[in-house]
Amino acid sequence: MEKKPELIPAWDAHVHLGGLPGSVPQRVAALLKHADRVGVEKIVVFMGTTWASHPTPDKFRRDNDEVLQAIAAAPDRVMGFVYLNPRYERECLAELDRCVRDGPMVGVKLWIAMTCDRPELDPIARRSGELHVPILQHAYWRVGEALVDESRPPDMAVLAARHPQTSFICAHTGNDWERGIRAIRATRNVYVEICGSDPTAGMVEMAVREVGAERVLYGSDAAGRSYASQLAKVYGAEIPEEFKRLILRDNLRRLLGPALAARGVKR
Amino acid sequence: MIIDVNVNLSRWPFRRTPCDDPRSLVATLLRNGVGQAWTGTLDGLFHRDVGGANARLAEECQRCGLGLLVPFGSVNPLLPDWHEDVRRCRQDFKMPGIRLHPNYHGYRLDDAVFAEVLQAAQRQGLIVQLVLRMDDVRVQHRLMQVADVDLAPLAKALAVVPRLPVVVLNVSRANSADLKKLAALRMFPSIAPCGREWAAWRSWSRPSPWSACCSAPTCRCFPCSRHCLSSASPS
């Protein structure tokens, strides 16, 4: 009989409600069932059951309503980030207030509505800093053409440099992680989040070497990817055990700490 | 015993990885309970002296493998006298199979030469490992952009050699077209698909250091009983 290795408790910074069947509570149940198998204690969920790259305010409010449902389905385990489209400044700020200031959400998710170095993002970045919640920005560095309005890690560095009081999460580490890590390493308020690419040996080691273990976050991109495949990037990394604990849970817990504490959420 | 059907010796040209030397690779496999690893060589993708690459592979598996590394030589059917490489793999190096990289070697699965290499493998009693991709096409090095192998013509090619054991490596969960084409191969009892990937199926209960993408989609289109564990180590 093989000995089952000890699981390290994990918080997942990047989970979606898409890619699964059923109602929002059924999707949450499925996500948590798989999370239980691999030691994922809590998940951050954002965007709705259907995605829009350039959502209207009505659409992103509906998406956020679904995330609120997800949180309500398992408030001790599901956290939410509010999804916004920076093309609608007034509506974005109102939605931030509804979901974060007055609601249970603890961060902001931005996808590909606008490249993130643009000044239109400044009001959102400022407000997020005031509310002590991070902004998770999709960032991809493709060898071919980017998607329309898609951000790359250097764009994140530009935005983050303008807002040193706000924390940013570079989702996917740009996918081309060897360039992505370099692009954000000097911008100390940007965290590296490792989700969504094929697991490749050396990724986490490079991130730890270049930005320090305290700035690296585990994420999966479930349900599009499995928790397990992305956990393997950390479990298999040649780094000390205490760094794995930071990456898998403690860094995100620290980053979200003020927002969770303000909401009385058990950590 | 865990059998990993997809590991490699030698080095990827654009990156060093933590266990890209045979001894540390074997140590990692052993530490994670792998009892047998079907082993190709990355030199087989890039070197034109494939015979030399396969000879080194056989020698290193013998010298460093602790009985765990089972060599699978490379065959590039666009090279002159490639039949001799097939023969050497079986008769000189006693390999159980060969590994094919159509996209790196420059042919498609509906090219006549692919059918020829399948038939040659069948005559020698070899397993064929067909590798669909080595790297995510979205982030490849700008000097080496290689499209994934198109699986669509495989069913027709296999009709001529229906009992040939074929292991399809590096099925991509990111490429849903792969999955649809894979489903069309279910009628061939000797086909086994592996994401680099399948490890994650197991990893739902046991995270593996090498496991890659979720294999659940491939399990939906292909019986789980025909999946193999495939780590693509050391990458």
Side-chain angles (χ1 to χ4, degrees), chain A residues 160-176:
Chain A
R162 290 205 303 266
H163 298 278
Q165 304 309 316
T166 304
S167 296
F168 295 84
I169 300 171
C170 181
H172 314 296
T173 320
N175 203 359
D176 183 346

Side-chain angles (χ1 to χ4, degrees), chain B residues 53-204:
Chain B
N54 289 339
R56 281 195 304 281
L57 170 67
E59 190 273 328
E60 286 185 314
C61 286
Q62 175 70 28
R63 181 166 47 86
C64 310
L66 302 179
L68 183 148
L69 301 183
V70 179
F72 276 61
S74 294
V75 173
N76 177 352
L78 296 193
L79 289 172
D81 198 25
W82 59 267
H83 286 90
E84 173 62 9
D85 293 320
V86 177
R87 188 202 65 76
R88 288 183 193 177
C89 284
R90 174 83 265 181
Q91 296 178 20
D92 295 353
F93 304 132
K94 313 297 181 201
M95 295 173 176
I98 56 174
R99 197 168 280 187
L100 303 178
H101 291 277
N103 50 349
Y104 283 81
H105 291 159
Y107 60 94
R108 293 171 42 86
L109 304 192
D110 50 7
D111 288 349
V113 74
F114 178 64
E116 285 176 39
V117 78
L118 294 183
Q119 289 164 37
Q122 181 167 267
R123 279 195 298 275
Q124 291 286 350
L126 290 161
I127 299 165
V128 169
Q129 293 195 312
L130 176 65
V131 188
L132 299 191
R133 57 157 33 185
M134 293 299 289
D135 210 1
D136 184 337
V137 293
R138 298 169 297 184
V139 293
Q140 290 174 339
H141 195 283
R142 70 181 180 83
L143 294 179
M144 194 172 69
Q145 294 172 44
V146 183
D148 292 349
V149 174
D150 178 10
L151 261 179
L154 183 58
K156 192 171 174 190
L158 287 176
V160 184
V161 284
R163 288 184 308 283
L164 176 70
V166 176
V167 182
V168 182
L169 297 180
N170 296 350
V171 175
S172 167
R173 55 81 41 217
N175 185 351
S176 56
D178 273 3
L179 303 178
K180 287 181 189 152
K181 291 167 188 170
L182 204 55
L185 299 167
R186 270 180 297 206
M187 76 282 282
F188 294 99
S190 54
I191 289 275
C194 329
R196 111 196 229 192
E197 319 252 333
W198 189 87
W201 178 254
R202 193 181 156 69
S203 303
W204 283 117

Side-chain angles (χ1 to χ4, degrees), chain A residues 48-210:
Chain A
T49 52
T50 59
W51 294 3
S53 61
H54 296 72
T56 62
D58 275 351
K59 170 62 176 153
F60 65 66
R61 280 192 286 262
R62 285 199 304 276
D63 289 346
N64 293 325
D65 284 343
E66 290 185 321
V67 172
L68 291 169
Q69 282 181 53
I71 297 168
D76 286 343
R77 299 192 62 189
V78 175
M79 302 175 285
F81 282 10
V82 60
Y83 181 41
L84 302 173
N85 178 348
R87 292 175 188 274
Y88 303 95
E89 177 184 333
R90 186 169 52 84
E91 291 85 349
C92 279
L93 295 177
E95 189 67 350
L96 253 172
D97 284 347
R98 178 176 84 100
C99 296
V100 176
R101 187 194 64 187
D102 306 327
M105 296 199 197
V106 290
V108 174
K109 165 63 191 271
L110 300 173
W111 188 29
I112 55 171
M114 179 180 283
T115 49
C116 68
D117 59 342
R118 300 256 300 261
E120 289 90 333
L121 275 83
D122 288 339
I124 296 172
R126 254 192 313 272
R127 188 76 182 118
S128 299
E130 290 164 5
L131 294 170
H132 305 294
V133 295
I135 295 176
L136 185 145
Q137 169 69 59
H138 166 95
Y140 241 71
W141 207 336
R142 298 170 196 268
V143 69
E145 262 188 52
L147 302 178
V148 174
D149 296 319
E150 188 173 40
S151 300
R152 300 177 313 155
D155 303 321
M156 284 208 70
V158 169
L159 174 66
R162 290 205 303 266
H163 298 278
Q165 304 309 316
T166 304
S167 296
F168 295 84
I169 300 171
C170 181
H172 314 296
T173 320
N175 203 359
D176 183 346
W177 43 273
E178 286 152 315
R179 287 196 291 170
I181 291 167
R182 294 175 63 89
I184 57 87
R185 69 182 169 189
T187 315
R188 302 192 63 79
N189 53 331
V190 181
Y191 286 72
V192 164
E193 185 254 277
I194 62 170
C195 85
S197 50
D198 288 346
T200 308
M203 175 192 196
V204 170
E205 288 92 330
M206 179 181 172
V208 167
R209 186 184 76 227
E210 294 299 331

Side-chain angles (χ1 to χ4, degrees), chain A residues 2-5 7 34-38 140-144 174-178 196-202 205 223-233 235-238, chain B residues 2 14-19 28 31-33 133 135-142 145 172-174 196-197 200 202-215 234-235:
Chain A
E2 279 175 58
K3 187 171 169 239
K4 196 168 175 175
L7 294 173
H34 292 303
D36 286 338
R37 294 182 190 172
V38 290
Y140 241 71
W141 207 336
R142 298 170 196 268
V143 69
N175 203 359
D176 183 346
W177 43 273
E178 286 152 315
S197 50
D198 288 346
T200 308
E205 288 92 330
R225 299 267 180 177
S226 65
Y227 299 115
S229 65
Q230 308 300 303
L231 284 169
K233 294 175 179 175
Y235 274 85
E238 295 192 351
Chain B
I2 297 173
F14 301 113
R15 174 182 302 135
R16 292 298 306 271
T17 52
C19 53
T28 303
R31 196 164 58 245
N32 288 279
R133 57 157 33 185
D135 210 1
D136 184 337
V137 293
R138 298 169 297 184
V139 293
Q140 290 174 339
H141 195 283
R142 70 181 180 83
Q145 294 172 44
S172 167
R173 55 81 41 217
R196 111 196 229 192
E197 319 252 333
R202 193 181 156 69
S203 303
W204 283 117
S205 58
R206 180 186 189 276
S208 149
W210 328 284
S211 64
C213 308
C214 174
S215 65
S235 67

